[in-house]
Amino acid sequence: MLVKRIQCEKPHKPRAHQIRAIVIHATGTTDLDKILRYYQTSSSGIGPHYMISLDGTVYQFAEESETAYDCGRSAENDAHYAAGREEWLRVVKGDKARQLAPFPGYDSWCASWPTLDSPLDLETGSHPNGSSIGIECQSPKHRLPAVFTDEQYTTLRELIAEVAARCVIPLARRHVLGHSDVDPISRCGKSGSWDPGEGFEW
């Protein structure tokens, strides 16, 4: 597996928490050059440990011993999650209006995690960036729902297996998460979860 190391302008900080999970994402744009430039030059250090392009090439932006900032949550969202399922299920991204019924995306979260009360109960807990390895997959043109290439899935399986072995992470769904699992308020909408997407082949 080919891995291209990218030197970021803002250095990453050493990790302060035990690695307990891998978090998978879909990029917000489809343009590879823009994706690489953004993660390389982000003044706030936003970016994953790895990104997989459409042809299966892996780009690395941070060492696994460092914290990458790819799935942080806002204090406001954390407060909603801490208040319990009935509270955070009704929060709508954007206008924060209350709903009579949850979004389908939230239904997706509940179907995936029927015994959990909120994302705070996942392996990433209250420190999602500090306790995980982030892997972005470049979104194809037909982004919603995100459906990745065969090359991406092949590389993603290999990369997850290698990271799990190095970091002693069980290869189980509870330890391999989507961004929409970790922060459904920000990553779910009226059509379901969108990061990495309802079409993602778990």
Side-chain angles (χ1 to χ4, degrees):
M1 180 172 52
L2 176 63
V3 178
K4 294 185 177 181
R5 185 67 167 91
I6 305 293
Q7 186 66 43
C8 295
E9 292 183 3
K10 181 169 182 172
H12 292 84
K13 295 179 180 179
R15 185 181 295 279
H17 301 278
Q18 179 184 357
I19 301 171
R20 300 187 56 83
I22 296 166
V23 178
I24 301 169
H25 307 258
T27 60
T29 183
T30 62
D31 187 304
L32 180 60
D33 290 336
K34 287 183 179 179
I35 295 166
L36 296 176
R37 186 165 55 252
Y38 177 71
Y39 291 149
Q40 186 175 20
T41 62
S42 172
S43 60
S44 55
I46 294 174
H49 290 87
Y50 300 98
M51 196 279 295
I52 303 173
S53 65
L54 298 179
D55 66 1
T57 301
V58 178
Y59 297 85
Q60 183 176 7
F61 301 91
E63 299 295 332
E64 292 169 4
S65 59
E66 298 172 324
T67 298
Y69 296 93
D70 56 286
C71 61
R73 291 188 301 253
S74 68
E76 181 181 8
N77 285 359
D78 268 358
H80 287 303
Y81 295 138
R85 182 181 289 210
E86 292 306 313
E87 164 69 15
W88 71 262
L89 284 178
R90 297 180 191 282
V91 177
V92 179
K93 183 180 180 344
D95 62 9
K96 305 298 184 202
R98 302 296 176 178
Q99 283 207 150
L100 295 178
F103 272 163
Y106 299 163
D107 290 339
S108 298
W109 192 94
C110 293
S112 295
W113 312 107
T115 63
L116 302 185
D117 195 46
S118 83
L120 297 175
D121 299 324
L122 292 169
E123 294 297 329
T124 46
S126 58
H127 301 284
N129 284 322
S131 61
S132 68
I133 298 292
I135 303 175
E136 291 268 3
C137 291
Q138 179 188 358
S139 292
K141 298 293 184 186
H142 52 293
R143 180 170 179 271
L144 295 175
V147 179
F148 301 111
T149 65
D150 291 342
E151 291 83 0
Q152 283 177 301
Y153 278 119
T154 296
T155 300
L156 181 60
R157 283 191 294 269
E158 293 176 7
L159 183 57
I160 287 173
E162 290 185 9
V163 169
R166 282 194 296 269
C167 301
V168 195
I169 303 171
L171 285 174
R173 179 68 170 90
R174 190 175 176 115
H175 294 268
V176 182
L177 308 169
H179 198 177
S180 54
D181 295 316
V182 174
D183 193 6
I185 290 176
S186 296
R187 291 296 184 269
C188 288
K190 291 183 178 180
S191 61
S193 65
W194 55 268
D195 190 3
E198 293 291 332
F200 185 75
E201 297 175 9
W202 289 104

